[in-house]
Amino acid sequence: MAVISKIRSYSGLLIAVVGIALIAFVLGDFFGHGPMRAPTFKVGQIGRTEIPFQEFEQRVNDQIEGWKMQTGMQTVGVNEAFHIRQQVWNTMVREILLGREIDNLGLEISSEELFYFIQGPNPHPIILRNFMNPADGSFNPSLVLNFLNNFERLDASTQQQWVMLEDFIKRDRKETKYHQLIQSGFYMPGVLLSREYQNRHAIANIRYILKPYESIDESQIEVSESEMRAMYKKKRHLHKREASVNLQYVVFPVFASEEDRQEIEKEILQLKEELQTATDIPAFINANSDERFNPAFIGTGELMPDLEQILFNAPVGTVIGPVEDNNAFVVTMLVDVQFRPDSLRASHILIAHERAQGAEGTSRTLDQARLLADSLLNVARRNPVAFGQLASMFSDDPTAQANQGNLDWFRSEEMVPEFAEAVMNAPLNNFTTAETAFGVHVIHVTGKSPLTKKIQVGRLTRIIEPSTRSFQSAFAEASEFANIVRNNKEFEAAADEKGLSLRVAENILEMDVSLPGIETPREIIRWAFAEETRVGSHSSIFDIENRFIIAYVTQKREEGIPEFEEIREEMRTEAIREKKFANLSAVLQEAKSGGSFDQIAETLQLEPVQVNELRFAMLNLPGMGAEPMLVGAAFGLEPNTISEPIKGNAGVFLLEVTGRELAVEPDEFTTLSNQLRGAFVNRMLNETFNALKESSRITDNRVLFY
């Protein structure tokens, strides 16, 4: 929940642009101009409970803000945002399904219970995590009390976060009660405990012979249409699946041509001349570079060795380059040289105002924030030891409740420039103020490392990127290919004709987030799953990641049990296996009449395999892998008798039990009972939720929006 501990540059404009684009997209679909299915503002429906888009998006935004606070990053990537939406969806499904059960049972959390889990002797884990002593990481109950005593003074955003925290505790406790009720229903009678003990410890000594399925060539087996359909009827439920598609696609990458490179290099050489005569270096770089001016001072070991060797021994104003670095032409200028500390330490009180970033719900004006900051500055100067208490009482940085405003040691580049410079310029153990995008800060400078030589470097960069001509050229190639397939040319044949590499992606699910070689393919996947997209459809030209892409649907599978024709080959394989079993069983059954187990093996020219100390609970047969039918038969067959043919995974077995020994049972089964209860509890959470999902009608419309 840190606001300032890792303050970095932010991108509010980008967030606004994305938000506007999203609204435009949704409205476009609503009014019938979008590319997708029937308009809806419903992200999903769980039973009778609808999940409106606005509610879902608000939950996602709240989660993203939490992610930013935890990571210290100000922007979230496309894939990170997608995974956050996935988490929010799963959480909302869980809340709705469990909430319905909890409401039906009448489970509640009283105010006394809530008080216990916030201020009682054993607080909820989320309280323990958020109110730790910064010195040793231990829980500090006085911080909770101090926070609640000053609750009315906190900004609306922090108050809302606390309400969300209380709601989480209530929901978690209700779910815990619900699961405890299920857990209380677990009972293991003594007879079953005895059986489980024997399953784990009783042993059997066996011999077996095996006729493997592969001993019969498949070409010798014929199966009819009716036999395959009978197998489908018997086993189709085992092939239940999610909706998926198979795609082929071709990619037309856009690269900077040699002509593009020459033009970019010519441009940066001209800018280099202008840079050498510029009077305001930061302003010139910000106006002309693809990389904004970084005011940070850097030490040795932070530049390329050759560049560092020159700049640390050159006069201010030295200009080097252009050189090619990370797909860009870069001109480097030595702007300033200073002796500065490597690290700083400070405490702060953040006074947010209505125009500050992350201060939604705050009505305080900038002038009021400045006035309050000046008052706190004067109090701190008169009574320095009170600074931590002032931070706990007045700071709008939520972490101040736990750390009393102490930011500990940090490097100047970890903070926004205004804050870092204020700490840098103020004397040690003095107080100062600074204004940043987050508000007005009252700062106590508590530490500075020894001074070292540092330099400030300006980088004038021009990214080597394709020109409009290069984009037009690649788009023309893509358009030509699109015209070929539009004129009923088979997609793969068209790719071969144009010498294009055909890429294939199979079993793509509706909410997948990647395709081979494409990091952000959601637009393609959404198109593939649209109702109007059929098998044999080819897409329009997608513009993704500096490349043009045309996709083609080779197969679409609906959710549920597939039609017979879709899994014909699988059913044929199963039917052949069934016939092999029948044939091999007949061979073994005939040989079984020939006398002892050794005589049967000799007749079949098979070598008996001896297995000692086999246990019922064993998953695998030594040397064979999973053979549960054989293991089960070993404990159901009378000793010194020969089994009927057993259908295994590797082939057909005959089995002889040469000996079996029951385990000596203990006087009581407390340890075993606890183990079984623990295993039940571990499975219960997921299996309960999965059972609720299986019994509920869940409609997922996320693909319409994301």
Side-chain angles (χ1 to χ4, degrees):
M1 296 171 66
V3 173
I4 188 65
S5 61
K6 298 292 180 186
I7 299 176
R8 294 177 173 88
S9 58
Y10 59 92
S11 53
L13 178 61
L14 176 61
I15 295 173
V17 170
V18 171
I20 293 170
L22 179 60
I23 293 170
F25 160 73
V26 173
L27 291 178
D29 267 358
F30 181 72
F31 290 114
H33 302 300
M36 303 307 296
R37 307 169 209 176
T40 178
F41 281 104
K42 184 173 64 179
V43 171
Q45 184 167 340
I46 316 300
R48 296 181 179 179
T49 304
E50 295 184 353
I51 302 178
F53 170 79
Q54 294 87 345
E55 179 184 346
F56 182 78
E57 191 66 10
Q58 183 60 53
R59 292 282 293 268
V60 170
N61 289 337
D62 291 341
Q63 197 78 0
I64 286 175
E65 288 304 312
W67 179 87
K68 290 178 181 178
M69 291 178 182
Q70 291 176 3
T71 62
M73 301 179 68
Q74 293 302 314
T75 57
V76 57
V78 174
N79 287 339
E80 288 85 355
F82 186 86
H83 288 304
I84 289 173
R85 291 191 192 100
Q86 186 72 24
Q87 292 171 4
V88 171
W89 170 261
N90 292 339
T91 299
M92 295 186 77
V93 171
R94 183 182 184 87
E95 289 174 2
I96 292 169
L97 292 178
L98 288 179
R100 184 177 63 194
E101 298 297 306
I102 288 168
D103 290 342
N104 290 339
L105 291 170
L107 300 178
E108 294 291 343
I109 299 296
S110 67
S111 58
E112 291 79 10
E113 285 180 278
L114 184 60
F115 178 88
Y116 177 86
F117 285 107
I118 293 175
Q119 299 187 59
N122 296 300
H124 191 277
I126 198 170
I127 296 293
L128 297 177
R129 287 197 302 269
N130 282 275
F131 293 91
M132 293 188 302
N133 187 325
D136 57 11
S138 63
F139 171 64
N140 189 342
S142 64
L143 293 177
V144 181
L145 186 61
N146 187 32
F147 178 90
L148 295 175
N149 287 339
N150 291 281
F151 187 79
E152 296 301 326
R153 299 182 182 181
L154 300 173
D155 63 84
S157 176
T158 303
Q159 290 180 355
Q160 180 60 30
Q161 289 179 11
W162 175 259
V163 172
M164 291 170 60
L165 184 144
E166 284 190 342
D167 288 343
F168 174 82
I169 294 175
K170 292 176 185 177
R171 187 169 61 250
D172 181 67
R173 290 305 304 165
K174 287 180 182 179
E175 290 185 10
T176 299
K177 287 185 177 183
Y178 174 73
H179 290 124
Q180 285 174 341
L181 287 175
I182 298 174
Q183 182 178 337
S184 299
F186 176 84
Y187 173 67
M188 194 71 164
V191 172
L192 294 183
L193 285 170
S194 174
R195 179 179 295 177
E196 177 65 21
Y197 189 87
Q198 292 298 333
N199 289 344
R200 295 185 180 197
H201 299 285
I203 61 173
N205 298 326
I206 66 170
R207 294 196 301 166
Y208 69 84
I209 55 176
L210 167 67
K211 288 286 287 184
Y213 294 123
E214 61 188 28
S215 63
I216 300 178
D217 193 325
E218 287 195 10
S219 62
Q220 301 175 16
I221 304 293
E222 292 185 3
V223 292
S224 66
E225 181 79 6
S226 61
E227 288 172 326
M228 288 190 289
R229 289 189 177 275
M231 185 60 64
Y232 171 76
K233 186 176 181 179
K234 180 180 178 182
K235 295 200 171 185
R236 60 188 174 186
H237 67 284
L238 299 176
H239 293 266
K240 189 176 181 180
R241 67 197 180 187
E242 295 183 63
S244 65
V245 297
N246 288 359
L247 297 176
Q248 294 177 345
Y249 53 98
V250 291
V251 178
F252 300 86
V254 186
F255 298 114
S257 66
E258 185 58 35
E259 185 179 358
D260 294 338
R261 295 174 62 88
Q262 291 174 1
E263 288 184 1
I264 295 169
E265 187 172 16
K266 180 180 178 181
E267 182 181 352
I268 200 167
L269 285 170
Q270 177 62 39
L271 288 172
K272 175 182 177 180
E273 294 181 9
E274 297 175 21
L275 175 65
Q276 291 173 312
T277 59
T279 56
D280 188 340
I281 302 302
F284 181 86
I285 289 177
N286 288 337
N288 295 283
S289 176
D290 291 331
E291 174 185 336
R292 290 188 64 80
F293 178 78
N294 183 355
F297 283 78
I298 57 179
T300 55
E302 299 182 53
L303 291 172
M304 292 185 294
D306 292 345
L307 190 60
E308 180 179 293
Q309 178 68 26
I310 296 172
L311 292 180
F312 268 85
N313 297 283
V316 171
T318 298
V319 178
I320 301 173
V323 296
E324 189 171 336
D325 179 22
N326 197 24
N327 197 43
F329 288 117
V330 181
V331 171
T332 307
M333 183 179 197
L334 179 59
V335 179
D336 196 5
V337 178
Q338 292 185 13
F339 285 85
R340 301 163 65 97
D342 278 328
S343 301
L344 305 166
R345 186 174 64 189
S347 297
H348 85 128
I349 302 170
L350 173 64
I351 310 299
H353 55 79
E354 59 188 1
R355 289 157 51 189
Q357 182 182 347
E360 293 78 6
T362 300
S363 59
R364 185 189 295 125
T365 66
L366 175 57
D367 288 339
Q368 290 172 334
R370 288 169 175 166
L371 185 62
L372 177 56
D374 287 340
S375 298
L376 293 172
L377 179 65
N378 291 330
V379 173
R381 283 173 172 167
R382 290 196 302 269
N383 187 12
V385 296
F387 191 89
Q389 185 178 0
L390 292 173
S392 298
M393 294 176 61
F394 292 99
S395 182
D396 291 318
D397 180 351
T399 63
Q401 301 299 323
N403 61 23
Q404 297 187 315
N406 182 11
L407 301 176
D408 212 340
W409 289 96
F410 57 87
R411 296 172 66 85
S412 61
E413 58 267 23
E414 293 177 322
M415 302 295 181
V416 290
E418 301 90 344
F419 187 91
E421 285 303 305
V423 178
M424 187 71 67
N425 295 330
L428 187 62
N429 297 321
N430 275 27
F431 298 87
T432 188
T433 60
E435 293 186 16
T436 74
F438 299 91
V440 184
H441 306 260
V442 181
I443 303 170
H444 183 198
V445 181
T446 56
K448 294 185 179 184
S449 63
L451 301 180
T452 59
K453 184 177 181 179
K454 291 181 175 290
I455 61 174
Q456 187 183 58
V457 173
R459 282 169 51 96
L460 180 66
T461 65
R462 268 286 185 263
I463 297 173
I464 303 171
E465 56 188 359
S467 65
T468 302
R469 288 190 308 275
S470 296
F471 272 93
Q472 290 172 343
S473 176
F475 186 79
E477 290 183 49
S479 298
E480 182 182 356
F481 180 84
N483 287 331
I484 293 174
V485 295
R486 193 176 296 120
N487 292 325
N488 297 320
K489 182 78 171 185
E490 199 272 330
F491 195 85
E492 186 172 354
D496 289 340
E497 178 182 307
K498 301 298 293 183
L500 298 171
S501 174
L502 186 70
R503 306 191 187 191
V504 177
E506 297 184 342
N507 297 312
I508 302 301
L509 303 181
E510 195 168 31
M511 295 308 294
D512 275 354
V513 71
S514 65
L515 289 176
I518 306 175
E519 293 184 3
T520 55
R522 284 299 305 162
E523 192 177 356
I524 299 174
I525 295 173
R526 291 179 63 233
W527 164 80
F529 278 92
E531 288 182 2
E532 60 269 25
T533 302
R534 311 291 184 185
V535 173
S537 295
H538 58 82
S539 71
S540 57
I541 301 172
F542 293 106
D543 182 1
I544 300 175
E545 301 167 7
N546 268 8
R547 57 185 123 179
F548 299 110
I549 301 169
I550 301 174
Y552 176 78
V553 178
T554 59
Q555 192 171 359
K556 273 187 114 168
R557 307 173 192 85
E558 297 295 328
E559 180 182 10
I561 295 174
E563 297 295 331
F564 170 73
E565 290 299 333
E566 295 182 76
I567 54 173
R568 168 184 283 272
E569 285 306 308
E570 290 92 331
M571 294 304 98
R572 181 177 179 276
T573 300
E574 290 281 0
I576 289 174
R577 184 185 179 94
E578 196 70 22
K579 280 203 167 183
K580 285 185 175 183
F581 169 67
N583 293 346
L584 294 173
S585 294
V587 171
L588 291 175
Q589 192 68 46
E590 182 181 354
K592 186 181 172 186
S593 61
S596 69
F597 195 81
D598 288 319
Q599 290 173 325
I600 296 171
E602 184 177 354
T603 299
L604 296 171
Q605 297 183 338
L606 296 173
E607 185 70 29
V609 178
Q610 179 77 37
V611 178
N612 295 324
E613 297 189 0
L614 183 69
R615 289 177 170 79
F616 184 83
M618 294 173 64
L619 297 176
N620 296 325
L621 184 68
M624 286 298 299
E627 291 293 351
M629 299 298 290
L630 179 68
V631 174
F635 288 87
L637 189 68
E638 290 295 326
N640 301 313
T641 57
I642 301 173
S643 71
E644 295 298 313
I646 298 170
K647 184 179 183 180
N649 291 326
V652 185
F653 293 87
L654 275 186
L655 167 69
E656 180 185 41
V657 178
T658 59
R660 190 161 57 232
E661 182 180 338
L662 293 176
V664 178
E665 296 182 0
D667 294 333
E668 45 84 21
F669 295 106
T670 302
T671 300
L672 178 60
S673 179
N674 289 338
Q675 289 175 353
L676 295 174
R677 175 177 289 275
F680 171 77
V681 170
N682 290 336
R683 300 196 323 269
M684 176 191 62
L685 297 179
N686 284 333
E687 291 185 3
T688 300
F689 178 57
N690 289 336
L692 292 174
K693 284 176 64 177
E694 288 293 325
S695 62
S696 300
R697 184 178 180 84
I698 298 177
T699 303
D700 185 354
N701 296 327
R702 284 178 296 161
V703 71
L704 302 180
F705 300 90
Y706 309 107

